[in-house]
Amino acid sequence: MTAGITPVSDTAAERIRADFPILATRTKSGKPLVYLDSAATSQKPRSVIETISGYYEGYNANIHRGVYDIAERATDAFEGARARVASFFNAAESAEIIFTRNATEALNLVAYSWGLANLRAGDAILLTRLEHHSNIVPWQLLAAKMGAELRFLELDGQGRVVLDDLDAKLRGVRLVASAHVSNTLGTIVPIEQIIAAAHRAGAVVVIDGAQAAPHLAVDVRALDVDFYAASGHKMLGPTGIGTLYAKRALLEAIPPFLAGGDMIRRVSYEQTTFNELPWKFEAGTSDIAGAIGLGAAVDYLQDLGMAWVRAHEVALTAYALERLNAAPHVRLYGPERAEERGGVISFTMGDIHPHDIASILDGEGVCIRAGHHCTMPLHERLGLAATARASFYVYNTYADVDALIEALEKAARIFKL
Ligand code: 7TS
Protein backbone atom coordinates (compact mmCIF):
# COMPACT_ATOMS: atom_id res chain seq x y z
CA MET A 1 0.00 0.00 0.00
CA THR A 2 1.22 3.47 -0.75
CA ALA A 3 0.06 6.63 0.98
CA GLY A 4 -3.10 8.31 -0.20
CA ILE A 5 -5.16 5.18 -0.86
CA THR A 6 -7.78 4.20 1.68
CA PRO A 7 -8.01 0.43 2.05
CA VAL A 8 -11.80 0.43 1.92
CA SER A 9 -12.30 -3.16 1.07
CA ASP A 10 -9.29 -5.40 1.54
CA THR A 11 -10.66 -7.10 4.64
CA ALA A 12 -13.85 -7.95 2.81
CA ALA A 13 -11.87 -9.18 -0.20
CA GLU A 14 -9.81 -11.41 2.10
CA ARG A 15 -13.04 -12.96 3.39
CA ILE A 16 -14.33 -13.37 -0.15
CA ARG A 17 -11.13 -15.14 -1.23
CA ALA A 18 -11.91 -17.99 1.13
CA ASP A 19 -14.99 -18.75 -1.00
CA PHE A 20 -12.85 -19.38 -4.11
CA PRO A 21 -11.02 -22.70 -3.81
CA ILE A 22 -8.68 -22.00 -6.73
CA LEU A 23 -7.21 -18.95 -4.98
CA ALA A 24 -5.66 -21.22 -2.35
CA THR A 25 -3.70 -23.13 -4.99
CA ARG A 26 -0.14 -22.59 -6.15
CA THR A 27 1.08 -22.34 -9.72
CA LYS A 28 3.73 -24.51 -11.40
CA SER A 29 6.32 -22.00 -10.19
CA GLY A 30 5.34 -22.85 -6.60
CA LYS A 31 4.07 -19.30 -6.05
CA PRO A 32 0.59 -18.49 -4.77
CA LEU A 33 -1.87 -17.81 -7.57
CA VAL A 34 -2.34 -14.10 -8.24
CA TYR A 35 -5.23 -14.07 -10.67
CA LEU A 36 -5.43 -10.82 -12.64
CA ASP A 37 -7.29 -12.03 -15.72
CA SER A 38 -10.93 -11.84 -14.70
CA ALA A 39 -11.81 -9.88 -17.85
CA ALA A 40 -11.09 -13.11 -19.74
CA THR A 41 -13.02 -15.25 -17.28
CA SER A 42 -13.72 -14.94 -13.57
CA GLN A 43 -12.98 -17.55 -10.94
CA LYS A 44 -15.93 -19.40 -9.41
CA PRO A 45 -17.02 -19.42 -5.77
CA ARG A 46 -17.67 -22.70 -3.99
CA SER A 47 -21.43 -22.01 -4.00
CA VAL A 48 -21.47 -22.02 -7.81
CA ILE A 49 -19.34 -25.15 -8.06
CA GLU A 50 -21.48 -26.96 -5.49
CA THR A 51 -24.73 -25.83 -7.11
CA ILE A 52 -23.56 -27.38 -10.39
CA SER A 53 -22.42 -30.65 -8.82
CA GLY A 54 -25.62 -30.64 -6.74
CA TYR A 55 -27.63 -30.68 -9.95
CA TYR A 56 -25.60 -33.48 -11.53
CA GLU A 57 -25.49 -35.54 -8.35
CA GLY A 58 -29.00 -34.89 -7.13
CA TYR A 59 -31.54 -34.11 -9.88
CA ASN A 60 -29.95 -34.33 -13.34
CA ALA A 61 -32.79 -34.55 -15.87
CA ASN A 62 -33.91 -32.73 -18.97
CA ILE A 63 -36.25 -29.79 -18.47
CA HIS A 64 -39.70 -28.73 -19.70
CA ARG A 65 -40.80 -32.30 -20.49
CA GLY A 66 -40.53 -34.81 -17.64
CA VAL A 67 -43.41 -35.28 -15.22
CA TYR A 68 -41.26 -37.12 -12.70
CA ASP A 69 -39.76 -35.58 -9.58
CA ILE A 70 -36.19 -34.87 -10.63
CA ALA A 71 -37.29 -33.49 -14.01
CA GLU A 72 -39.61 -31.09 -12.24
CA ARG A 73 -36.84 -30.09 -9.86
CA ALA A 74 -34.48 -29.45 -12.78
CA THR A 75 -37.11 -27.35 -14.56
CA ASP A 76 -37.82 -25.36 -11.41
CA ALA A 77 -34.11 -24.74 -10.78
CA PHE A 78 -33.53 -23.69 -14.42
CA GLU A 79 -36.51 -21.32 -14.50
CA GLY A 80 -35.67 -20.10 -10.99
CA ALA A 81 -32.22 -19.14 -12.26
CA ARG A 82 -33.84 -17.21 -15.10
CA ALA A 83 -35.98 -15.31 -12.59
CA ARG A 84 -32.87 -14.43 -10.55
CA VAL A 85 -31.06 -13.21 -13.65
CA ALA A 86 -34.14 -11.14 -14.58
CA SER A 87 -34.14 -9.56 -11.14
CA PHE A 88 -30.34 -8.97 -11.31
CA PHE A 89 -30.87 -6.89 -14.47
CA ASN A 90 -34.19 -5.49 -13.21
CA ALA A 91 -36.05 -6.83 -16.26
CA ALA A 92 -39.82 -6.47 -16.11
CA GLU A 93 -40.31 -10.25 -16.43
CA SER A 94 -38.34 -13.49 -16.71
CA ALA A 95 -39.58 -14.03 -20.28
CA GLU A 96 -37.32 -11.15 -21.35
CA ILE A 97 -34.19 -13.14 -20.43
CA ILE A 98 -32.97 -15.57 -23.08
CA PHE A 99 -30.26 -18.07 -22.14
CA THR A 100 -27.49 -18.25 -24.76
CA ARG A 101 -24.02 -19.80 -24.76
CA ASN A 102 -22.27 -16.50 -24.09
CA ALA A 103 -22.36 -12.78 -24.94
CA THR A 104 -21.14 -13.53 -28.45
CA GLU A 105 -24.13 -15.75 -29.16
CA ALA A 106 -26.46 -13.15 -27.64
CA LEU A 107 -25.10 -10.51 -30.02
CA ASN A 108 -25.40 -12.90 -32.97
CA LEU A 109 -29.00 -13.62 -32.00
CA VAL A 110 -29.76 -9.91 -32.36
CA ALA A 111 -27.83 -9.67 -35.64
CA TYR A 112 -29.64 -12.61 -37.21
CA SER A 113 -33.12 -12.42 -35.70
CA TRP A 114 -33.54 -8.65 -35.51
CA GLY A 115 -31.08 -7.65 -38.20
CA LEU A 116 -32.21 -9.87 -41.07
CA ALA A 117 -35.84 -8.91 -40.42
CA ASN A 118 -35.37 -5.18 -39.97
CA LEU A 119 -32.34 -3.86 -41.77
CA ARG A 120 -32.69 -2.49 -45.30
CA ALA A 121 -30.12 -1.60 -47.94
CA GLY A 122 -28.77 1.86 -47.24
CA ASP A 123 -29.44 1.71 -43.48
CA ALA A 124 -26.55 2.35 -41.13
CA ILE A 125 -25.30 0.54 -38.00
CA LEU A 126 -23.44 2.69 -35.49
CA LEU A 127 -20.64 1.18 -33.37
CA THR A 128 -17.79 2.65 -31.35
CA ARG A 129 -14.08 2.31 -32.05
CA LEU A 130 -13.47 0.30 -28.87
CA GLU A 131 -15.60 -2.76 -29.58
CA HIS A 132 -14.61 -6.38 -28.98
CA HIS A 133 -14.59 -8.51 -32.14
CA SER A 134 -17.85 -10.11 -30.94
CA ASN A 135 -19.52 -6.73 -31.32
CA ILE A 136 -17.95 -5.94 -34.71
CA VAL A 137 -17.89 -9.08 -36.81
CA PRO A 138 -21.63 -9.97 -36.57
CA TRP A 139 -22.46 -6.43 -37.76
CA GLN A 140 -19.93 -6.61 -40.59
CA LEU A 141 -21.55 -9.84 -41.82
CA LEU A 142 -25.04 -8.39 -41.44
CA ALA A 143 -24.10 -5.13 -43.17
CA ALA A 144 -22.54 -7.01 -46.09
CA LYS A 145 -25.62 -9.21 -46.45
CA MET A 146 -28.12 -6.36 -46.25
CA GLY A 147 -26.17 -3.63 -48.05
CA ALA A 148 -25.94 -1.56 -44.88
CA GLU A 149 -23.18 0.80 -43.80
CA LEU A 150 -21.08 0.64 -40.60
CA ARG A 151 -20.27 3.87 -38.78
CA PHE A 152 -18.16 4.46 -35.69
CA LEU A 153 -18.11 6.86 -32.76
CA GLU A 154 -14.52 8.04 -32.28
CA LEU A 155 -12.39 7.99 -29.12
CA ASP A 156 -10.53 10.85 -27.45
CA GLY A 157 -6.91 10.70 -26.25
CA GLN A 158 -7.95 8.85 -23.08
CA GLY A 159 -10.00 6.28 -24.96
CA ARG A 160 -13.35 7.82 -24.04
CA VAL A 161 -16.15 7.71 -26.60
CA VAL A 162 -16.71 11.12 -28.22
CA LEU A 163 -20.39 12.05 -28.32
CA ASP A 164 -20.14 15.57 -29.84
CA ASP A 165 -21.28 14.35 -33.24
CA LEU A 166 -23.65 11.66 -31.96
CA ASP A 167 -26.84 13.17 -33.40
CA ALA A 168 -25.22 13.73 -36.80
CA LYS A 169 -23.83 10.18 -36.86
CA LEU A 170 -27.26 8.78 -35.95
CA ARG A 171 -28.87 10.05 -39.15
CA GLY A 172 -30.00 7.00 -41.14
CA VAL A 173 -28.96 4.62 -38.34
CA ARG A 174 -31.32 1.72 -37.58
CA LEU A 175 -29.19 -0.01 -34.96
CA VAL A 176 -26.58 1.12 -32.44
CA ALA A 177 -24.28 -1.54 -30.95
CA SER A 178 -21.95 -0.45 -28.16
CA ALA A 179 -19.96 -1.97 -25.35
CA HIS A 180 -20.94 -0.84 -21.86
CA VAL A 181 -17.34 -1.26 -20.62
CA SER A 182 -14.30 -1.74 -22.85
CA ASN A 183 -12.36 -4.95 -22.23
CA THR A 184 -9.13 -3.26 -23.35
CA LEU A 185 -9.26 0.38 -22.26
CA GLY A 186 -11.61 -0.12 -19.33
CA THR A 187 -13.65 2.85 -20.54
CA ILE A 188 -17.19 3.03 -19.20
CA VAL A 189 -19.22 4.13 -22.20
CA PRO A 190 -21.97 6.71 -21.46
CA ILE A 191 -24.65 4.38 -22.79
CA GLU A 192 -27.48 6.35 -21.11
CA GLN A 193 -26.80 9.25 -23.48
CA ILE A 194 -26.30 6.97 -26.47
CA ILE A 195 -29.55 5.08 -25.84
CA ALA A 196 -31.59 8.28 -25.40
CA ALA A 197 -30.17 9.86 -28.56
CA ALA A 198 -30.58 6.63 -30.55
CA HIS A 199 -34.22 6.35 -29.54
CA ARG A 200 -34.85 9.99 -30.53
CA ALA A 201 -33.39 9.08 -33.92
CA GLY A 202 -35.62 5.99 -34.19
CA ALA A 203 -32.79 3.45 -33.77
CA VAL A 204 -32.74 0.27 -31.70
CA VAL A 205 -29.84 -0.22 -29.26
CA VAL A 206 -27.94 -3.38 -28.35
CA ILE A 207 -25.42 -3.13 -25.53
CA ASP A 208 -22.54 -5.57 -25.13
CA GLY A 209 -22.47 -5.86 -21.35
CA ALA A 210 -19.88 -8.66 -21.15
CA GLN A 211 -17.50 -6.48 -19.08
CA ALA A 212 -20.16 -4.43 -17.30
CA ALA A 213 -22.67 -6.94 -15.94
CA PRO A 214 -20.05 -8.49 -13.61
CA HIS A 215 -19.06 -5.11 -12.17
CA LEU A 216 -21.83 -2.52 -12.31
CA ALA A 217 -25.45 -2.49 -11.20
CA VAL A 218 -27.23 -2.78 -14.56
CA ASP A 219 -30.88 -1.72 -14.64
CA VAL A 220 -32.21 -2.47 -18.11
CA ARG A 221 -35.48 -0.68 -17.42
CA ALA A 222 -33.85 2.52 -16.16
CA LEU A 223 -31.51 2.38 -19.17
CA ASP A 224 -34.49 1.77 -21.50
CA VAL A 225 -32.09 -0.45 -23.49
CA ASP A 226 -33.56 -2.68 -26.21
CA PHE A 227 -31.07 -5.58 -26.05
CA TYR A 228 -28.39 -6.25 -23.41
CA ALA A 229 -25.90 -9.14 -23.78
CA ALA A 230 -23.77 -10.73 -21.04
CA SER A 231 -21.58 -13.79 -20.39
CA GLY A 232 -22.06 -15.91 -17.28
CA HIS A 233 -18.42 -16.98 -17.03
CA LYS A 234 -17.21 -13.40 -16.47
CA MET A 235 -19.62 -12.90 -13.55
CA LEU A 236 -18.64 -15.84 -11.33
CA GLY A 237 -20.79 -18.29 -13.30
CA PRO A 238 -19.71 -21.28 -15.39
CA THR A 239 -18.64 -21.22 -19.03
CA GLY A 240 -21.21 -22.10 -21.67
CA ILE A 241 -24.01 -19.88 -20.42
CA GLY A 242 -24.81 -16.30 -21.38
CA THR A 243 -27.84 -14.08 -21.35
CA LEU A 244 -29.67 -11.75 -23.65
CA TYR A 245 -32.14 -9.30 -22.16
CA ALA A 246 -34.60 -7.94 -24.71
CA LYS A 247 -37.83 -6.00 -24.50
CA ARG A 248 -40.83 -8.31 -24.89
CA ALA A 249 -42.27 -6.39 -27.86
CA LEU A 250 -39.03 -6.81 -29.79
CA LEU A 251 -38.76 -10.52 -29.00
CA GLU A 252 -42.35 -11.06 -30.08
CA ALA A 253 -41.83 -9.21 -33.34
CA ILE A 254 -38.68 -11.00 -34.53
CA PRO A 255 -38.27 -14.54 -35.84
CA PRO A 256 -36.32 -17.24 -33.93
CA PHE A 257 -32.55 -17.44 -34.26
CA LEU A 258 -31.96 -21.21 -34.04
CA ALA A 259 -34.62 -23.79 -34.80
CA GLY A 260 -35.37 -27.28 -33.49
CA GLY A 261 -36.75 -28.82 -30.33
CA ASP A 262 -38.05 -26.78 -27.38
CA MET A 263 -38.63 -23.60 -29.37
CA ILE A 264 -41.82 -24.90 -31.01
CA ARG A 265 -45.47 -25.01 -30.03
CA ARG A 266 -46.73 -27.24 -32.83
CA VAL A 267 -44.94 -28.86 -35.76
CA SER A 268 -46.38 -30.56 -38.81
CA TYR A 269 -44.39 -31.72 -41.83
CA GLU A 270 -45.37 -28.49 -43.55
CA GLN A 271 -45.09 -25.81 -40.92
CA THR A 272 -44.38 -24.84 -37.35
CA THR A 273 -45.73 -22.45 -34.78
CA PHE A 274 -43.26 -21.18 -32.25
CA ASN A 275 -43.20 -21.50 -28.50
CA GLU A 276 -43.92 -18.52 -26.31
CA LEU A 277 -41.19 -16.34 -24.81
CA PRO A 278 -38.50 -16.95 -23.79
CA TRP A 279 -38.39 -20.53 -25.13
CA LYS A 280 -38.95 -19.40 -28.74
CA PHE A 281 -35.25 -18.42 -28.64
CA GLU A 282 -33.90 -21.49 -26.85
CA ALA A 283 -33.70 -24.29 -29.41
CA GLY A 284 -32.48 -27.68 -28.26
CA THR A 285 -31.53 -28.80 -24.76
CA SER A 286 -30.17 -25.82 -22.88
CA ASP A 287 -27.08 -25.69 -20.70
CA ILE A 288 -29.17 -26.61 -17.69
CA ALA A 289 -26.27 -26.94 -15.24
CA GLY A 290 -24.81 -23.70 -16.59
CA ALA A 291 -28.00 -21.74 -16.07
CA ILE A 292 -28.48 -23.11 -12.56
CA GLY A 293 -24.83 -22.28 -11.81
CA LEU A 294 -25.33 -18.76 -13.14
CA GLY A 295 -28.30 -18.40 -10.79
CA ALA A 296 -25.96 -19.20 -7.87
CA ALA A 297 -23.41 -16.69 -9.21
CA VAL A 298 -26.05 -13.97 -9.36
CA ASP A 299 -27.06 -14.81 -5.77
CA TYR A 300 -23.42 -14.46 -4.71
CA LEU A 301 -23.07 -11.07 -6.40
CA GLN A 302 -26.35 -9.84 -4.95
CA ASP A 303 -25.27 -10.91 -1.47
CA LEU A 304 -22.12 -8.81 -1.89
CA GLY A 305 -24.19 -5.99 -3.36
CA MET A 306 -23.25 -4.48 -6.71
CA ALA A 307 -22.54 -1.14 -5.00
CA TRP A 308 -19.81 -2.87 -2.96
CA VAL A 309 -18.52 -4.70 -6.04
CA ARG A 310 -18.13 -1.40 -7.85
CA ALA A 311 -16.63 0.45 -4.88
CA HIS A 312 -14.04 -2.32 -4.41
CA GLU A 313 -13.18 -2.21 -8.09
CA VAL A 314 -12.75 1.58 -8.12
CA ALA A 315 -10.52 1.45 -5.03
CA LEU A 316 -8.33 -1.32 -6.46
CA THR A 317 -8.15 0.27 -9.89
CA ALA A 318 -7.20 3.64 -8.41
CA TYR A 319 -4.44 1.98 -6.40
CA ALA A 320 -3.21 0.01 -9.43
CA LEU A 321 -3.26 3.12 -11.64
CA GLU A 322 -1.25 5.04 -9.05
CA ARG A 323 1.36 2.30 -8.70
CA LEU A 324 1.60 1.60 -12.43
CA ASN A 325 1.89 5.31 -13.20
CA ALA A 326 4.82 5.47 -10.79
CA ALA A 327 6.51 2.40 -12.31
CA PRO A 328 9.31 3.30 -14.72
CA HIS A 329 8.75 2.50 -18.42
CA VAL A 330 5.07 1.56 -17.94
CA ARG A 331 2.62 3.21 -20.30
CA LEU A 332 -1.09 2.99 -19.55
CA TYR A 333 -4.02 3.16 -21.95
CA GLY A 334 -7.56 4.31 -21.24
CA PRO A 335 -9.16 6.94 -18.99
CA GLU A 336 -6.94 8.47 -16.29
CA ARG A 337 -9.57 8.39 -13.54
CA ALA A 338 -10.63 5.07 -11.96
CA GLU A 339 -14.21 6.39 -11.74
CA GLU A 340 -14.38 6.46 -15.54
CA ARG A 341 -13.26 2.88 -16.01
CA GLY A 342 -13.93 -0.72 -15.06
CA GLY A 343 -11.31 -2.90 -13.41
CA VAL A 344 -9.22 -3.43 -16.54
CA ILE A 345 -5.80 -1.88 -17.13
CA SER A 346 -3.93 -2.40 -20.39
CA PHE A 347 -0.31 -1.32 -20.52
CA THR A 348 3.02 -1.65 -22.25
CA MET A 349 6.46 -1.59 -20.66
CA GLY A 350 9.35 -0.17 -22.63
CA ASP A 351 9.80 -2.26 -25.72
CA ILE A 352 9.25 -5.61 -23.96
CA HIS A 353 6.77 -7.66 -25.92
CA PRO A 354 3.57 -8.09 -23.87
CA HIS A 355 3.86 -11.87 -24.24
CA ASP A 356 7.32 -11.72 -22.62
CA ILE A 357 5.90 -9.60 -19.79
CA ALA A 358 3.11 -12.14 -19.27
CA SER A 359 5.48 -15.09 -19.25
CA ILE A 360 7.85 -13.48 -16.72
CA LEU A 361 4.81 -12.67 -14.56
CA ASP A 362 3.68 -16.28 -14.91
CA GLY A 363 6.94 -17.33 -13.28
CA GLU A 364 5.88 -15.20 -10.29
CA GLY A 365 2.40 -16.75 -10.15
CA VAL A 366 0.83 -13.60 -11.61
CA CYS A 367 -1.72 -14.27 -14.37
CA ILE A 368 -2.32 -11.45 -16.84
CA ARG A 369 -3.38 -11.46 -20.47
CA ALA A 370 -1.17 -10.36 -23.35
CA GLY A 371 -2.20 -9.80 -26.94
CA HIS A 372 -4.91 -7.83 -28.71
CA HIS A 373 -7.70 -9.01 -26.35
CA CYS A 374 -10.00 -9.49 -29.38
CA THR A 375 -9.80 -5.78 -30.14
CA MET A 376 -7.46 -5.78 -33.14
CA PRO A 377 -8.97 -2.67 -34.79
CA LEU A 378 -8.63 -0.72 -31.53
CA HIS A 379 -5.01 -1.82 -31.10
CA GLU A 380 -4.33 -0.78 -34.69
CA ARG A 381 -5.75 2.65 -33.88
CA LEU A 382 -3.53 2.89 -30.82
CA GLY A 383 -0.59 1.99 -33.07
CA LEU A 384 0.08 -1.20 -31.11
CA ALA A 385 0.21 -4.87 -32.02
CA ALA A 386 -0.45 -5.98 -28.46
CA THR A 387 -0.75 -4.85 -24.86
CA ALA A 388 -0.45 -6.52 -21.47
CA ARG A 389 -3.65 -6.42 -19.42
CA ALA A 390 -4.38 -6.83 -15.74
CA SER A 391 -8.00 -7.08 -14.67
CA PHE A 392 -9.54 -7.19 -11.21
CA TYR A 393 -12.58 -8.63 -9.54
CA VAL A 394 -14.19 -9.08 -6.15
CA TYR A 395 -11.49 -11.43 -4.82
CA ASN A 396 -8.50 -9.26 -5.69
CA THR A 397 -6.63 -7.29 -3.04
CA TYR A 398 -4.06 -4.53 -2.80
CA ALA A 399 -1.53 -7.29 -2.18
CA ASP A 400 -2.32 -8.66 -5.66
CA VAL A 401 -1.53 -5.26 -7.15
CA ASP A 402 1.71 -5.18 -5.17
CA ALA A 403 2.58 -8.64 -6.55
CA LEU A 404 1.94 -7.33 -10.07
CA ILE A 405 4.24 -4.36 -9.51
CA GLU A 406 7.01 -6.50 -8.03
CA ALA A 407 6.80 -8.94 -10.93
CA LEU A 408 6.96 -6.03 -13.40
CA GLU A 409 10.05 -4.73 -11.62
CA LYS A 410 11.61 -8.15 -12.14
CA ALA A 411 10.70 -8.05 -15.84
CA ALA A 412 12.33 -4.61 -16.11
CA ARG A 413 15.52 -5.99 -14.52
CA ILE A 414 15.59 -9.03 -16.82
CA PHE A 415 15.14 -6.86 -19.89
CA LYS A 416 17.58 -4.25 -18.54
CA LEU A 417 15.17 -1.34 -18.96
N1 7TS B 1 -17.65 -8.38 -25.44
C1 7TS B 1 -16.69 -7.95 -24.61
C2 7TS B 1 -16.60 -6.51 -24.26
C3 7TS B 1 -15.77 -8.87 -24.11
O1 7TS B 1 -14.82 -8.45 -23.29
C4 7TS B 1 -15.88 -10.23 -24.46
C5 7TS B 1 -14.87 -11.25 -24.01
C6 7TS B 1 -16.92 -10.60 -25.30
C7 7TS B 1 -17.78 -9.65 -25.77
C8 7TS B 1 -17.14 -12.02 -25.68
O2 7TS B 1 -17.48 -12.77 -24.60
P1 7TS B 1 -17.74 -14.34 -24.78
O3 7TS B 1 -18.02 -14.82 -23.42
O4 7TS B 1 -18.87 -14.45 -25.71
O5 7TS B 1 -16.46 -14.89 -25.34
N2 7TS B 1 -13.63 -10.74 -23.67
C9 7TS B 1 -12.51 -11.43 -23.38
C10 7TS B 1 -11.34 -10.81 -22.99
O6 7TS B 1 -11.22 -9.59 -22.85
N3 7TS B 1 -10.39 -11.73 -22.78
O7 7TS B 1 -10.93 -12.93 -23.05
C11 7TS B 1 -12.24 -12.75 -23.43
Side-chain angles (χ1 to χ4, degrees):
M1 287 286 313
T2 57
I5 299 286
T6 322
V8 288
S9 40
D10 240 19
T11 326
E14 284 296 347
R15 262 203 315 275
I16 289 167
R17 292 175 72 79
D19 294 335
F20 290 77
I22 203 171
L23 297 180
T25 63
R26 287 182 179 261
T27 63
K28 200 171 61 188
S29 59
K31 303 268 166 66
L33 182 71
V34 177
Y35 188 72
L36 296 177
D37 198 17
S38 294
T41 196
S42 71
Q43 296 303 344
K44 322 302 173 199
R46 193 173 286 107
S47 61
V48 168
I49 299 166
E50 286 177 354
T51 297
I52 295 167
S53 54
Y55 160 69
Y56 282 125
E57 290 178 7
Y59 57 100
N60 174 57
N62 212 328
I63 50 172
H64 301 144
R65 56 198 86 197
V67 292
Y68 47 89
D69 171 48
I70 58 171
E72 280 175 359
R73 280 166 62 195
T75 302
D76 289 350
F78 181 82
E79 292 303 334
R82 192 195 309 277
R84 301 225 276 295
V85 171
S87 139
F88 183 76
F89 288 115
N90 197 31
E93 49 172 326
S94 294
E96 292 180 324
I97 300 294
I98 313 295
F99 283 127
T100 62
R101 280 189 302 143
N102 45 39
T104 302
E105 188 178 280
L107 294 165
N108 275 275
L109 190 161
V110 180
Y112 283 91
S113 288
W114 184 91
L116 293 178
N118 288 283
L119 217 59
R120 303 278 170 269
D123 286 344
I125 301 171
L126 182 62
L127 314 177
T128 80
R129 292 278 184 208
L130 55 65
E131 300 307 321
H132 185 280
H133 297 165
S134 292
N135 202 28
I136 299 177
V137 186
W139 311 121
Q140 285 175 341
L141 294 178
L142 179 66
K145 199 173 180 70
M146 309 305 277
E149 170 204 348
L150 290 188
R151 283 184 206 156
F152 296 88
L153 291 169
E154 300 297 336
L155 306 180
D156 70 10
Q158 287 191 42
R160 295 173 299 198
V161 177
V162 175
L163 297 185
D164 298 352
D165 52 357
L166 178 59
D167 289 331
K169 286 213 166 134
L170 277 167
R171 251 167 252 137
V173 166
R174 293 272 290 153
L175 180 87
V176 179
S178 171
H180 194 171
V181 173
S182 161
N183 69 316
T184 295
L185 298 168
T187 314
I188 299 177
V189 179
I191 60 166
E192 297 81 356
Q193 271 167 274
I194 293 177
I195 293 166
H199 286 167
R200 281 197 302 276
V204 162
V205 182
V206 52
I207 297 296
D208 170 3
Q211 296 293 347
H215 303 275
L216 308 175
V218 174
D219 181 334
V220 290
R221 266 187 288 176
L223 287 168
D224 194 25
V225 66
D226 300 300
F227 297 102
Y228 194 96
S231 274
H233 69 93
K234 294 187 200 285
M235 46 196 289
L236 307 181
T239 49
I241 190 80
T243 57
L244 177 69
Y245 159 80
K247 288 178 179 164
R248 172 179 272 279
L250 283 164
L251 289 175
E252 278 176 348
I254 61 179
F257 173 35
L258 302 173
D262 280 295
M263 49 77 72
I264 51 86
R265 186 191 304 276
R266 193 178 157 71
V267 181
S268 70
Y269 285 113
E270 292 73 33
Q271 60 180 24
T272 295
T273 52
F274 303 126
N275 204 339
E276 57 199 63
L277 295 176
W279 307 291
K280 168 182 165 186
F281 291 96
E282 293 178 0
T285 298
S286 295
D287 182 355
I288 303 164
I292 296 172
L294 177 58
V298 161
D299 285 349
Y300 190 94
L301 286 172
Q302 284 190 321
D303 284 349
L304 291 180
M306 292 309 288
W308 183 86
V309 172
R310 175 65 184 147
H312 177 65
E313 171 173 283
V314 171
L316 264 189
T317 307
Y319 178 60
L321 287 172
E322 182 187 294
R323 293 225 53 193
L324 286 164
N325 266 318
H329 313 293
V330 170
R331 182 155 178 216
L332 303 179
Y333 302 90
E336 282 164 16
R337 295 177 53 245
E339 290 75 11
E340 289 185 80
R341 57 195 299 162
V344 169
I345 304 181
S346 291
F347 60 94
T348 48
M349 200 163 106
D351 56 3
I352 313 179
H353 194 283
H355 283 122
D356 291 334
I357 300 177
S359 67
I360 291 171
L361 266 55
D362 175 46
E364 302 302 305
V366 178
C367 313
I368 63 161
R369 176 146 183 204
H372 52 63
H373 324 309
C374 297
T375 55
M376 280 173 88
L378 172 61
H379 273 76
E380 200 171 295
R381 240 176 154 72
L382 295 171
L384 298 164
T387 50
R389 184 190 69 183
S391 52
F392 312 111
Y393 207 15
V394 292
Y395 35 71
N396 288 120
T397 60
Y398 295 103
D400 290 340
V401 177
D402 293 340
L404 168 71
I405 298 292
E406 272 168 40
L408 288 175
E409 284 165 358
K410 181 164 184 183
R413 283 197 301 277
I414 290 171
F415 278 86
K416 303 195 181 1
L417 287 186

